[in-house]
Amino acid sequence: MNALFNNAIDNAIANAPMSAMKHDLTPAQAVDRLAYIKGAISALKEEEAACKDILITHNQRAYESDFYRATVAEVAGGTKVDWQALAMSMKPSKQKIVAYTSSTAGYFRVDVRAKKTS
């Protein structure tokens, strides 16, 4: 899978339209380039999510390949105060602060770094 995916990315980069960095694109070409970039980002985000899901579901905190190390950390949910609603009430009290405080969901963070070489 890795070789196939890497070849697909290499082909996409090699066959990509001219970069907008040259500043000589027409507006129509810039629209096409932007659509291509957004499509590539979307596809890569889906692939990123799938890879992260694999790492999270295997319940290990660290993984290594030949060149990279990935760590998985579960980040606890927190609380969030709706300050605008609180200010609109004009008379904030401890009870109103509690009433406008909600919990946020926890999530996983996956970090990938190049491995140190000697």
Side-chain angles (χ1 to χ4, degrees):
M1 179 179 144
N2 287 342
L4 181 63
F5 178 72
N6 290 339
N7 286 339
I9 294 298
D10 291 342
N11 288 336
I13 292 168
N15 297 318
M18 177 190 321
S19 173
M21 296 298 290
K22 294 185 178 182
H23 301 293
D24 59 353
L25 296 177
T26 66
Q29 290 171 324
V31 168
D32 289 343
R33 180 66 179 158
L34 181 58
Y36 173 83
I37 291 168
K38 289 182 128 335
I41 289 170
S42 176
L44 289 172
K45 284 186 181 226
E46 287 178 17
E47 181 75 13
E48 176 189 28
C51 289
K52 285 181 176 182
D53 286 344
I54 290 168
L55 298 178
I56 290 167
T57 58
H58 277 78
N59 292 324
Q60 292 184 30
R61 295 298 172 218
Y63 300 89
E64 289 196 19
S65 69
D66 291 337
F67 302 105
Y68 298 97
R69 175 178 170 81
T71 56
V72 178
E74 186 173 0
V75 180
T79 59
K80 182 175 109 176
V81 176
D82 185 346
W83 291 107
Q84 183 177 9
L86 186 61
M88 296 289 283
S89 72
M90 300 296 283
K91 293 183 180 179
S93 66
K94 287 184 181 183
Q95 292 82 10
K96 285 190 180 184
I97 292 172
V98 170
Y100 289 107
T101 301
S102 61
S103 296
T104 59
Y107 60 94
F108 288 93
R109 184 184 72 230
V110 177
D111 296 319
V112 177
R113 293 194 168 83
K115 291 171 72 173
K116 294 181 181 179
T117 59
S118 52

